[in-house]
PDB file of all heavy atoms in Angstrom:
ATOM      1  N   MET A 105      77.103  40.196  74.340  1.00  0.00           N
ATOM      2  CA  MET A 105      77.962  39.670  73.335  1.00  0.00           C
ATOM      3  C   MET A 105      77.187  39.723  71.931  1.00  0.00           C
ATOM      4  O   MET A 105      76.199  39.046  71.748  1.00  0.00           O
ATOM      5  CB  MET A 105      78.336  38.231  73.616  1.00  0.00           C
ATOM      6  CG  MET A 105      79.161  38.114  74.900  1.00  0.00           C
ATOM      7  SD  MET A 105      79.943  36.481  75.070  1.00  0.00           S
ATOM      8  CE  MET A 105      78.632  35.475  74.310  1.00  0.00           C
ATOM      9  N   THR A 106      77.805  40.523  71.086  1.00  0.00           N
ATOM     10  CA  THR A 106      77.076  40.718  69.823  1.00  0.00           C
ATOM     11  C   THR A 106      77.214  39.500  68.841  1.00  0.00           C
ATOM     12  O   THR A 106      76.404  39.055  68.149  1.00  0.00           O
ATOM     13  CB  THR A 106      77.658  41.986  69.136  1.00  0.00           C
ATOM     14  OG1 THR A 106      77.786  41.772  67.751  1.00  0.00           O
ATOM     15  CG2 THR A 106      78.933  42.412  69.613  1.00  0.00           C
ATOM     16  N   GLU A 107      78.460  38.811  68.957  1.00  0.00           N
ATOM     17  CA  GLU A 107      78.684  37.621  68.141  1.00  0.00           C
ATOM     18  C   GLU A 107      78.252  36.378  68.953  1.00  0.00           C
ATOM     19  O   GLU A 107      78.148  36.573  70.156  1.00  0.00           O
ATOM     20  CB  GLU A 107      80.117  37.433  67.706  1.00  0.00           C
ATOM     21  CG  GLU A 107      80.888  38.768  67.654  1.00  0.00           C
ATOM     22  CD  GLU A 107      82.390  38.534  67.775  1.00  0.00           C
ATOM     23  OE1 GLU A 107      82.919  37.666  67.161  1.00  0.00           O
ATOM     24  OE2 GLU A 107      82.989  39.339  68.532  1.00  0.00           O
ATOM     25  N   VAL A 108      78.177  35.292  68.304  1.00  0.00           N
ATOM     26  CA  VAL A 108      77.923  34.009  69.132  1.00  0.00           C
ATOM     27  C   VAL A 108      79.043  33.727  70.041  1.00  0.00           C
ATOM     28  O   VAL A 108      80.194  34.034  69.721  1.00  0.00           O
ATOM     29  CB  VAL A 108      77.634  32.847  68.140  1.00  0.00           C
ATOM     30  CG1 VAL A 108      76.547  33.129  67.188  1.00  0.00           C
ATOM     31  CG2 VAL A 108      78.778  32.306  67.463  1.00  0.00           C
ATOM     32  N   HIS A 109      78.702  33.197  71.202  1.00  0.00           N
ATOM     33  CA  HIS A 109      79.674  32.763  72.194  1.00  0.00           C
ATOM     34  C   HIS A 109      80.750  31.991  71.581  1.00  0.00           C
ATOM     35  O   HIS A 109      80.442  31.157  70.753  1.00  0.00           O
ATOM     36  CB  HIS A 109      78.878  32.116  73.296  1.00  0.00           C
ATOM     37  CG  HIS A 109      79.683  31.854  74.456  1.00  0.00           C
ATOM     38  ND1 HIS A 109      80.718  30.898  74.522  1.00  0.00           N
ATOM     39  CD2 HIS A 109      79.804  32.501  75.752  1.00  0.00           C
ATOM     40  CE1 HIS A 109      81.327  31.000  75.745  1.00  0.00           C
ATOM     41  NE2 HIS A 109      80.818  31.932  76.441  1.00  0.00           N
ATOM     42  N   GLY A 176      73.235  25.751  76.001  1.00  0.00           N
ATOM     43  CA  GLY A 176      72.831  27.002  75.422  1.00  0.00           C
ATOM     44  C   GLY A 176      73.988  27.593  74.514  1.00  0.00           C
ATOM     45  O   GLY A 176      73.639  28.089  73.378  1.00  0.00           O
ATOM     46  N   ILE A 177      75.181  27.321  74.814  1.00  0.00           N
ATOM     47  CA  ILE A 177      76.307  27.775  73.984  1.00  0.00           C
ATOM     48  C   ILE A 177      76.216  26.974  72.640  1.00  0.00           C
ATOM     49  O   ILE A 177      76.300  27.513  71.565  1.00  0.00           O
ATOM     50  CB  ILE A 177      77.569  27.582  74.749  1.00  0.00           C
ATOM     51  CG1 ILE A 177      77.792  28.502  75.827  1.00  0.00           C
ATOM     52  CG2 ILE A 177      78.817  27.633  73.712  1.00  0.00           C
ATOM     53  CD1 ILE A 177      79.033  28.283  76.772  1.00  0.00           C
ATOM     54  N   ILE A 179      73.668  25.273  71.221  1.00  0.00           N
ATOM     55  CA  ILE A 179      72.511  25.553  70.327  1.00  0.00           C
ATOM     56  C   ILE A 179      72.654  26.896  69.887  1.00  0.00           C
ATOM     57  O   ILE A 179      72.244  27.185  68.774  1.00  0.00           O
ATOM     58  CB  ILE A 179      71.160  25.312  71.187  1.00  0.00           C
ATOM     59  CG1 ILE A 179      71.063  23.907  71.748  1.00  0.00           C
ATOM     60  CG2 ILE A 179      70.008  25.643  70.346  1.00  0.00           C
ATOM     61  CD1 ILE A 179      70.919  22.838  70.730  1.00  0.00           C
ATOM     62  N   SER A 180      73.173  27.868  70.644  1.00  0.00           N
ATOM     63  CA  SER A 180      73.354  29.246  70.119  1.00  0.00           C
ATOM     64  C   SER A 180      74.201  29.182  68.927  1.00  0.00           C
ATOM     65  O   SER A 180      74.029  29.936  67.996  1.00  0.00           O
ATOM     66  CB  SER A 180      74.019  30.030  71.328  1.00  0.00           C
ATOM     67  OG  SER A 180      73.845  31.319  71.176  1.00  0.00           O
ATOM     68  N   ARG A 181      75.320  28.405  68.991  1.00  0.00           N
ATOM     69  CA  ARG A 181      76.286  28.295  67.893  1.00  0.00           C
ATOM     70  C   ARG A 181      75.563  27.683  66.617  1.00  0.00           C
ATOM     71  O   ARG A 181      75.691  28.115  65.496  1.00  0.00           O
ATOM     72  CB  ARG A 181      77.389  27.418  68.250  1.00  0.00           C
ATOM     73  CG  ARG A 181      78.453  28.217  69.001  1.00  0.00           C
ATOM     74  CD  ARG A 181      79.487  27.400  69.606  1.00  0.00           C
ATOM     75  NE  ARG A 181      80.344  26.688  68.687  1.00  0.00           N
ATOM     76  CZ  ARG A 181      81.600  27.027  68.466  1.00  0.00           C
ATOM     77  NH1 ARG A 181      82.071  28.203  69.060  1.00  0.00           N
ATOM     78  NH2 ARG A 181      82.368  26.422  67.559  1.00  0.00           N
ATOM     79  N   ILE A 182      74.882  26.526  66.867  1.00  0.00           N
ATOM     80  CA  ILE A 182      74.215  25.857  65.799  1.00  0.00           C
ATOM     81  C   ILE A 182      73.197  26.717  65.133  1.00  0.00           C
ATOM     82  O   ILE A 182      73.137  26.774  63.829  1.00  0.00           O
ATOM     83  CB  ILE A 182      73.525  24.528  66.266  1.00  0.00           C
ATOM     84  CG1 ILE A 182      74.629  23.495  66.686  1.00  0.00           C
ATOM     85  CG2 ILE A 182      72.656  23.914  65.235  1.00  0.00           C
ATOM     86  CD1 ILE A 182      74.068  22.259  67.340  1.00  0.00           C
ATOM     87  N   MET A 183      72.377  27.486  65.937  1.00  0.00           N
ATOM     88  CA  MET A 183      71.427  28.317  65.338  1.00  0.00           C
ATOM     89  C   MET A 183      71.850  29.611  64.860  1.00  0.00           C
ATOM     90  O   MET A 183      71.143  30.350  64.220  1.00  0.00           O
ATOM     91  CB  MET A 183      70.297  28.612  66.473  1.00  0.00           C
ATOM     92  CG  MET A 183      69.597  27.382  67.036  1.00  0.00           C
ATOM     93  SD  MET A 183      68.108  26.984  65.941  1.00  0.00           S
ATOM     94  CE  MET A 183      67.165  26.079  67.073  1.00  0.00           C
ATOM     95  N   ARG A 184      73.138  29.890  65.176  1.00  0.00           N
ATOM     96  CA  ARG A 184      73.766  31.196  64.812  1.00  0.00           C
ATOM     97  C   ARG A 184      72.895  32.369  65.476  1.00  0.00           C
ATOM     98  O   ARG A 184      72.689  33.352  64.750  1.00  0.00           O
ATOM     99  CB  ARG A 184      73.903  31.390  63.309  1.00  0.00           C
ATOM    100  CG  ARG A 184      75.159  30.719  62.880  1.00  0.00           C
ATOM    101  CD  ARG A 184      75.419  30.722  61.417  1.00  0.00           C
ATOM    102  NE  ARG A 184      76.073  29.537  61.071  1.00  0.00           N
ATOM    103  CZ  ARG A 184      75.703  28.557  60.212  1.00  0.00           C
ATOM    104  NH1 ARG A 184      74.584  28.919  59.445  1.00  0.00           N
ATOM    105  NH2 ARG A 184      76.315  27.566  59.921  1.00  0.00           N
ATOM    106  N   ASP A 185      72.376  32.153  66.665  1.00  0.00           N
ATOM    107  CA  ASP A 185      71.670  33.155  67.428  1.00  0.00           C
ATOM    108  C   ASP A 185      72.450  33.580  68.653  1.00  0.00           C
ATOM    109  O   ASP A 185      72.327  32.850  69.639  1.00  0.00           O
ATOM    110  CB  ASP A 185      70.286  32.626  67.668  1.00  0.00           C
ATOM    111  CG  ASP A 185      69.455  33.598  68.463  1.00  0.00           C
ATOM    112  OD1 ASP A 185      69.958  34.651  68.929  1.00  0.00           O
ATOM    113  OD2 ASP A 185      68.306  33.360  68.708  1.00  0.00           O
ATOM    114  N   PRO A 186      73.125  34.715  68.631  1.00  0.00           N
ATOM    115  CA  PRO A 186      73.909  35.060  69.758  1.00  0.00           C
ATOM    116  C   PRO A 186      73.115  35.403  71.033  1.00  0.00           C
ATOM    117  O   PRO A 186      73.624  35.332  72.172  1.00  0.00           O
ATOM    118  CB  PRO A 186      74.567  36.399  69.285  1.00  0.00           C
ATOM    119  CG  PRO A 186      74.389  36.590  67.784  1.00  0.00           C
ATOM    120  CD  PRO A 186      73.086  35.711  67.534  1.00  0.00           C
ATOM    121  N   GLN A 187      71.836  35.659  70.914  1.00  0.00           N
ATOM    122  CA  GLN A 187      70.945  36.042  72.063  1.00  0.00           C
ATOM    123  C   GLN A 187      70.439  34.835  72.697  1.00  0.00           C
ATOM    124  O   GLN A 187      69.810  34.901  73.809  1.00  0.00           O
ATOM    125  CB  GLN A 187      69.886  37.013  71.586  1.00  0.00           C
ATOM    126  CG  GLN A 187      70.418  38.259  70.996  1.00  0.00           C
ATOM    127  CD  GLN A 187      71.354  38.978  72.062  1.00  0.00           C
ATOM    128  OE1 GLN A 187      71.010  39.217  73.240  1.00  0.00           O
ATOM    129  NE2 GLN A 187      72.600  39.274  71.653  1.00  0.00           N
ATOM    130  N   LEU A 188      70.375  33.603  72.013  1.00  0.00           N
ATOM    131  CA  LEU A 188      69.744  32.485  72.577  1.00  0.00           C
ATOM    132  C   LEU A 188      70.257  32.037  73.955  1.00  0.00           C
ATOM    133  O   LEU A 188      69.457  31.721  74.831  1.00  0.00           O
ATOM    134  CB  LEU A 188      70.025  31.296  71.616  1.00  0.00           C
ATOM    135  CG  LEU A 188      69.069  30.024  71.744  1.00  0.00           C
ATOM    136  CD1 LEU A 188      68.668  29.524  70.419  1.00  0.00           C
ATOM    137  CD2 LEU A 188      69.666  29.054  72.634  1.00  0.00           C
ATOM    138  N   LEU A 189      71.558  32.092  74.152  1.00  0.00           N
ATOM    139  CA  LEU A 189      72.128  31.623  75.459  1.00  0.00           C
ATOM    140  C   LEU A 189      71.579  32.595  76.643  1.00  0.00           C
ATOM    141  O   LEU A 189      71.143  32.061  77.614  1.00  0.00           O
ATOM    142  CB  LEU A 189      73.687  31.804  75.428  1.00  0.00           C
ATOM    143  CG  LEU A 189      74.427  31.558  76.694  1.00  0.00           C
ATOM    144  CD1 LEU A 189      74.082  30.194  77.273  1.00  0.00           C
ATOM    145  CD2 LEU A 189      75.917  31.668  76.511  1.00  0.00           C
ATOM    146  N   ALA A 190      71.564  33.887  76.332  1.00  0.00           N
ATOM    147  CA  ALA A 190      71.029  34.818  77.438  1.00  0.00           C
ATOM    148  C   ALA A 190      69.627  34.548  77.765  1.00  0.00           C
ATOM    149  O   ALA A 190      69.239  34.352  78.877  1.00  0.00           O
ATOM    150  CB  ALA A 190      71.279  36.182  76.931  1.00  0.00           C
ATOM    151  N   ARG A 191      68.765  34.255  76.671  1.00  0.00           N
ATOM    152  CA  ARG A 191      67.323  33.992  76.935  1.00  0.00           C
ATOM    153  C   ARG A 191      67.225  32.626  77.628  1.00  0.00           C
ATOM    154  O   ARG A 191      66.276  32.570  78.588  1.00  0.00           O
ATOM    155  CB  ARG A 191      66.607  33.903  75.538  1.00  0.00           C
ATOM    156  CG  ARG A 191      66.565  35.251  74.826  1.00  0.00           C
ATOM    157  CD  ARG A 191      65.437  35.316  73.722  1.00  0.00           C
ATOM    158  NE  ARG A 191      65.512  34.147  72.885  1.00  0.00           N
ATOM    159  CZ  ARG A 191      66.166  34.194  71.734  1.00  0.00           C
ATOM    160  NH1 ARG A 191      66.920  35.236  71.337  1.00  0.00           N
ATOM    161  NH2 ARG A 191      66.237  33.106  70.972  1.00  0.00           N
TER     162      ARG A 191
ATOM    163  N   ARG B 133      71.896  22.855  61.593  1.00  0.00           N
ATOM    164  CA  ARG B 133      70.963  23.936  61.947  1.00  0.00           C
ATOM    165  C   ARG B 133      69.495  23.470  61.677  1.00  0.00           C
ATOM    166  O   ARG B 133      68.645  23.822  62.384  1.00  0.00           O
ATOM    167  CB  ARG B 133      71.371  25.123  61.081  1.00  0.00           C
ATOM    168  CG  ARG B 133      70.700  26.459  61.483  1.00  0.00           C
ATOM    169  CD  ARG B 133      71.528  27.622  60.984  1.00  0.00           C
ATOM    170  NE  ARG B 133      70.946  28.842  61.410  1.00  0.00           N
ATOM    171  CZ  ARG B 133      70.135  29.509  60.620  1.00  0.00           C
ATOM    172  NH1 ARG B 133      69.929  29.238  59.415  1.00  0.00           N
ATOM    173  NH2 ARG B 133      69.617  30.699  61.115  1.00  0.00           N
ATOM    174  N   ARG B 140      62.910  22.773  67.419  1.00  0.00           N
ATOM    175  CA  ARG B 140      62.258  23.971  67.844  1.00  0.00           C
ATOM    176  C   ARG B 140      60.740  23.913  67.357  1.00  0.00           C
ATOM    177  O   ARG B 140      59.849  24.143  68.072  1.00  0.00           O
ATOM    178  CB  ARG B 140      62.868  25.242  67.294  1.00  0.00           C
ATOM    179  CG  ARG B 140      62.103  26.471  67.583  1.00  0.00           C
ATOM    180  CD  ARG B 140      62.758  27.661  66.946  1.00  0.00           C
ATOM    181  NE  ARG B 140      63.883  28.206  67.722  1.00  0.00           N
ATOM    182  CZ  ARG B 140      64.658  29.206  67.318  1.00  0.00           C
ATOM    183  NH1 ARG B 140      64.440  29.782  66.172  1.00  0.00           N
ATOM    184  NH2 ARG B 140      65.588  29.607  68.105  1.00  0.00           N
ATOM    185  N   GLU B 163      58.852  30.008  72.361  1.00  0.00           N
ATOM    186  CA  GLU B 163      60.008  29.547  71.539  1.00  0.00           C
ATOM    187  C   GLU B 163      61.177  29.171  72.443  1.00  0.00           C
ATOM    188  O   GLU B 163      61.798  28.160  72.175  1.00  0.00           O
ATOM    189  CB  GLU B 163      60.355  30.637  70.505  1.00  0.00           C
ATOM    190  CG  GLU B 163      61.271  30.089  69.483  1.00  0.00           C
ATOM    191  CD  GLU B 163      61.203  30.854  68.169  1.00  0.00           C
ATOM    192  OE1 GLU B 163      60.048  30.736  67.491  1.00  0.00           O
ATOM    193  OE2 GLU B 163      62.153  31.640  67.833  1.00  0.00           O
ATOM    194  N   ASP B 164      61.407  30.057  73.361  1.00  0.00           N
ATOM    195  CA  ASP B 164      62.481  29.820  74.330  1.00  0.00           C
ATOM    196  C   ASP B 164      62.250  28.551  75.047  1.00  0.00           C
ATOM    197  O   ASP B 164      63.197  27.676  75.316  1.00  0.00           O
ATOM    198  CB  ASP B 164      62.672  30.957  75.251  1.00  0.00           C
ATOM    199  CG  ASP B 164      63.186  32.208  74.604  1.00  0.00           C
ATOM    200  OD1 ASP B 164      63.732  32.075  73.565  1.00  0.00           O
ATOM    201  OD2 ASP B 164      63.071  33.238  75.159  1.00  0.00           O
ATOM    202  N   ASP B 167      62.958  25.740  72.677  1.00  0.00           N
ATOM    203  CA  ASP B 167      64.522  25.582  72.540  1.00  0.00           C
ATOM    204  C   ASP B 167      65.105  24.935  73.843  1.00  0.00           C
ATOM    205  O   ASP B 167      66.147  24.257  73.803  1.00  0.00           O
ATOM    206  CB  ASP B 167      65.097  26.906  72.342  1.00  0.00           C
ATOM    207  CG  ASP B 167      64.940  27.341  70.873  1.00  0.00           C
ATOM    208  OD1 ASP B 167      64.531  26.545  70.052  1.00  0.00           O
ATOM    209  OD2 ASP B 167      65.154  28.558  70.644  1.00  0.00           O
TER     210      ASP B 167
END
Side-chain angles (χ1 to χ4, degrees):
Chain A
M105 297 195 323
T106 141
E107 331 154 49
V108 303
H109 190 283
I177 290 168
I179 302 293
S180 198
R181 277 164 72 97
I182 291 176
M183 295 278 205
R184 275 176 216 127
D185 177 354
Q187 299 304 306
L188 195 145
L189 175 56
R191 295 199 305 271
Chain B
R133 192 158 183 261
R140 171 185 281 177
E163 189 153 293
D164 290 343
D167 283 345

